């Protein structure tokens, strides 16, 4: 079940919309992080930079064959052997990962559908104690050049309530300029 309005524009345009280093710095992605799960790799915009920073493997999943393949090809070209892209419908089948096997789970630009709490719960399952679910999404309070309809974009307060419902604690809402906010959810 593909998340509605989750198709991708052209790669260079998509990647012009983020300051990837700033996002990963502010969300605390560094060498202290071992294995990572990611829902929806897309073009690998964050997957590869995350793989360069962390000490473990990035297990990333996408429902679109072209997206998983794009990420795989780039990882191979970059000789990153700690990127594992898999074709999978995460909403229907979850992450194919054992409980508590990751230090972080990335939910970037994806929580704009009917029942995001179930995905937040699945993300919480794959992280161990002290692990973090990292959320980033388009802001709703400013005009943005792209992003799903304002009506379906998750607000920080909604993310916090989904987190609380699955037993995660929430940190401050982070500004991820120019167009995004982030929240770190901790186990
Ligand atoms: C808006 S893109 C974001 C990609 C990446 N997270 C980023 O921020 O650059 C959302 C991605 O999630 C994928 N996706 C949508 N529904 C999915 C599902 N049910 N399971 C796995 N991937 C899914 C889409 O194919 C798309 O590549």
């Amino acid at each position: 079940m593909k998340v509605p309005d989750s198709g991708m524009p052209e790669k260079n345009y998509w990647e012009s919309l983020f300051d990837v280093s700033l996002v990963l710095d502010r969300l605390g992605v560094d060498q202290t992080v071992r294995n990572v799960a990611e829902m929806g790799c897309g073009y690998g915009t964050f997957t590869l930079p995350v793989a360069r920073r962390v000490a473990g493997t990035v297990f990333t999943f996408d429902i679109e064959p072209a997206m998983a393949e794009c990420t795989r090809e780039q990882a191979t070209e970059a000789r990153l052997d700690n990127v594992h892209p898999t074709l999978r419908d995460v909403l229907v089948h979850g992450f194919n990962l054992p409980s508590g096997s990751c230090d972080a789970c990335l939910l970037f630009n994806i929580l704009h559908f009917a029942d995001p709490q179930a995905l937040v719960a699945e993300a919480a399952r794959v992280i161990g104690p002290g692990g973090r679910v990292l959320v980033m999404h388009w802001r709703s309070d400013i005009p943005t050049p792209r992003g799903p309809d304002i009506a379906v974009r998750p607000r920080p307060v909604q993310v916090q309530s989904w987190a609380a419902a699955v037993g995660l604690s929430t940190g401050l809402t982070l500004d991820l300029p120019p167009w995004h906010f982030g929240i770190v959810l901790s186990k």
Side-chain angles (χ1 to χ4, degrees), residues 1-4 39 88-94 113 115 119:
M1 186 175 58
K2 185 171 178 178
V3 171
M39 160 66 171
R88 189 172 180 86
D89 183 339
V90 174
L91 288 193
V92 171
H93 302 297
F113 60 96
D115 183 18
L119 179 59

Side-chain angles (χ1 to χ4, degrees), residues 22-130:
L22 176 147
V23 167
L24 299 183
D25 285 348
R26 292 200 178 166
L27 292 175
V29 178
D30 60 25
Q31 269 288 307
T32 63
V33 179
R34 293 164 299 177
N35 290 342
V36 175
E38 181 185 33
M39 160 66 171
C41 55
Y43 293 118
T45 305
F46 295 93
T47 319
L48 273 74
V50 167
R52 290 191 179 96
R53 286 179 178 226
V54 301
T57 295
V58 183
F59 298 96
T60 190
F61 303 85
D62 206 290
I63 198 169
E64 289 288 348
M67 296 290 109
E69 198 45 42
C70 175
T71 299
R72 183 188 315 283
E73 279 172 12
Q74 290 182 94
T76 302
E77 263 171 41
R79 300 188 181 187
L80 285 170
D81 60 7
N82 63 336
V83 177
H84 284 216
T86 302
L87 186 61
R88 189 172 180 86
D89 183 339
V90 174
L91 288 193
V92 171
H93 302 297
F95 293 107
N96 186 25
L97 296 170
S99 299
S101 58
C102 293
D103 286 345
C105 182
L106 313 185
L107 302 179
F108 287 0
N109 301 306
I110 202 72
L111 289 178
H112 52 275
F113 60 96
D115 183 18
Q117 191 173 303
L119 179 59
V120 176
E122 173 62 359
R125 182 189 68 77
V126 300
I127 60 168

